[in-house]
Amino acid sequence: MNYIDLFAGAGGLSEGFKRAGYSPVAHVEIDAAASYSLRTRAAYYHLKENNQLDQYLSYLKGEIPRQELYSRIPDEILNSIINLGIGDENNQEIFSRINRNLNNNKEIDLIVGGPPCQAYSLVGRARSEHGMKKDSRNFLYVQYANYLTQYQPKMFVFENVLGLKSAGGGIYLQNMEKLFNKKGYSIHIFSVKAENFGVLQKRRRLIIIGWRQDFTPNLPDLDNYQSGLKANVSCLFADLPAIQAGEGKDKFLSYANKKNEYLEAAHIRNGIPTLTQHIARPHALQDKEIYRIAVDKWNNDKERLNYNDLPDRLKTHQNRSSFFDRFKVVAADLEASQTIVAHIAKDGHYYIHPDNSQNRSISVREAARLQSFPDDFYFEGVKEGASRTAAFKQIGNAVPCLLGQQIAVNIKDLL
């Protein structure tokens, strides 16, 4: 079964479908760094499927540059990553490139993906002068529908934030359903919790599953789904070497311990002995002092830090009436962390590592693990080499791989 991934990001949702046995025809993504990540992941799968994984390992070890890695991959695979924005100005070019990959003689089984969520999210609306009402991203679902018209997939999976329900007083969601119906698709809207799918993170998302009206599927109950895969967040940190703020290596480190049951069951540690992107951002001394207070407060008293309780010398923000929890520990003893969002690319205050001997925010690899990305998944920047900011942004915007995989498995029989 094949699929097209629209608004693909770094490919978290796609990773889940690939693992479940689906074959990607194309990934369409406007962000250049994320597109490089998709190409590198495509290279990983090609080399793995052709028993040449040692070449990918050479890249993760820094022994060969990115362009040399890509030179060992067929052009049609690299060209299936389409770095263009979806819209009227680019759609014909995107259609043309997808059709070349299809050789014009195959049907598309599935379209997956979800437009950028800022226009629908409660946080995005709160930060916007006009509540995002004038944001063109409100209408990217219309473009999504154009791809349904073009390729007539049997089904589609549309992912977005819960705020889509209330955005515009619910009018966007209503118009979305009307448009999809007009295109010949019925839909069902699920509100899912990522931790029910084995992800060690509290993440609430809307999953819209649509199907062509020439059949009626027996849909899985994603609202109440339970994968049975559970663990404490500490399992994600247990095998990683201790590093300090500003330390770590892009390529490569060795693991500090053997993998545990969760890491294996979640496909996070999946056989490759090379640890990459365990990189921590540097911090000002004042922030590190706040981090120590926050970690002690949680580890000793199981209480979150309220910003107003800090000593006056550590309080530099003028806003004292909101955002009390701007400093928050990723608690190791809970079954799910706070939601990983793209803001982690700007600072790590909301994602403090629970070990005070390391006194830092979480690393790129730790954030990726909280999103259930496997350790052999490498996040690229536009320029070759470590780009901590680009990696954090891609991770924060991603769909957790385990969530994508469980959805893929559950609709496979329907197709």
Side-chain angles (χ1 to χ4, degrees), residues 2 25 98-108 151:
N2 62 26
V25 172
I98 291 174
N99 291 342
R100 282 200 294 273
N101 291 349
L102 272 175
N103 296 320
N104 295 312
N105 60 4
K106 290 182 184 175
E107 286 187 33
I108 293 293
Y151 292 105

Side-chain angles (χ1 to χ4, degrees), residues 46-329:
H46 174 77
L47 293 171
K48 181 182 179 183
E49 289 158 6
N50 287 277
N51 297 314
Q52 297 174 323
L53 203 53
D54 58 314
Q55 297 184 35
Y56 185 72
L57 277 174
S58 292
Y59 177 63
L60 293 188
K61 291 177 179 179
E63 295 171 352
I64 61 172
R66 184 164 72 188
Q67 203 51 47
E68 186 172 339
L69 173 71
Y70 291 174
S71 72
R72 303 175 184 185
I73 311 303
D75 286 343
E76 59 265 25
I77 292 178
L78 294 175
N79 292 339
S80 72
I81 314 302
I82 303 172
N83 179 207
L84 290 171
I86 291 171
D88 293 341
E89 69 279 15
N90 291 327
N91 283 344
Q92 290 306 315
E93 171 64 17
I94 296 170
F95 292 158
S96 175
R97 291 176 63 175
I98 291 174
N99 291 342
R100 282 200 294 273
N101 291 349
L102 272 175
N103 296 320
N104 295 312
N105 60 4
K106 290 182 184 175
E107 286 187 33
I108 293 293
D109 294 307
L110 192 70
I111 288 179
V112 306
C117 64
Q118 292 90 336
Y120 303 131
S121 74
L122 298 176
V123 173
R125 280 181 265 156
R127 289 176 176 165
S128 168
E129 180 183 356
H130 303 288
M132 306 297 274
K133 291 178 181 177
K134 298 181 179 180
D135 197 300
S136 61
R137 290 173 296 188
N138 283 323
F139 304 101
L140 283 174
Y141 70 88
V142 177
Q143 297 295 339
Y144 195 101
N146 288 338
Y147 284 73
L148 298 179
T149 299
Q150 180 73 17
Y151 292 105
Q152 293 291 304
K154 299 177 181 71
M155 298 184 74
F156 69 86
V157 177
F158 183 105
E159 181 270 349
N160 222 283
V161 291
L162 282 183
L164 177 55
K165 281 187 171 180
S166 57
I171 192 67
Y172 294 118
L173 193 53
Q174 292 172 30
N175 288 343
M176 205 176 286
E177 182 165 14
K178 289 177 183 175
L179 179 59
F180 290 151
N181 285 338
K182 185 178 178 182
K183 300 293 185 181
Y185 290 85
S186 299
I187 68 170
H188 188 91
I189 303 165
F190 296 96
S191 300
V192 304
K193 298 178 180 179
E195 59 266 38
N196 290 348
F197 295 76
V199 182
L200 303 190
Q201 176 196 166
K202 290 183 179 177
R203 195 179 191 90
R204 308 289 182 265
R205 285 295 184 267
L206 278 190
I207 299 293
I208 300 175
I209 293 185
W211 61 93
R212 221 164 47 197
Q213 291 166 348
D214 55 3
F215 76 107
T216 303
N218 182 20
L219 294 177
D221 182 9
L222 298 181
D223 288 329
N224 299 298
Y225 186 79
Q226 292 288 340
S227 73
L229 183 59
K230 292 185 180 296
N232 284 351
V233 172
S234 61
C235 291
L236 291 175
F237 302 144
D239 64 327
L240 298 175
I243 57 174
Q244 301 298 311
E247 291 184 352
K249 285 186 179 179
D250 179 47
K251 298 174 179 177
F252 71 101
L253 282 170
S254 297
Y255 291 100
N257 293 299
K258 294 181 179 180
K259 61 186 174 184
N260 53 50
E261 289 182 9
Y262 175 80
L263 293 174
E264 183 168 16
H267 306 288
I268 289 172
R269 284 276 300 267
N270 51 5
I272 283 184
T274 305
L275 175 64
T276 64
Q277 298 188 292
H278 186 37
I279 311 166
R281 56 161 47 91
H283 300 294
L285 291 176
Q286 177 174 305
D287 288 336
K288 292 171 74 172
E289 186 173 352
I290 295 173
Y291 289 6
R292 276 192 289 269
I293 294 170
V295 171
D296 282 340
K297 198 171 186 67
W298 179 261
N299 289 345
N300 296 332
D301 305 320
K302 294 296 176 277
E303 293 180 3
R304 295 295 190 183
L305 174 67
N306 185 313
Y307 185 75
N308 290 325
D309 291 339
L310 286 170
D312 286 341
R313 63 185 174 81
L314 295 176
K315 288 188 284 193
T316 56
H317 291 277
Q318 298 303 313
N319 185 349
R320 307 288 174 84
S321 60
S322 60
F323 304 114
F324 298 141
D325 64 344
R326 58 168 55 94
F327 290 89
K328 193 168 185 176
V329 179

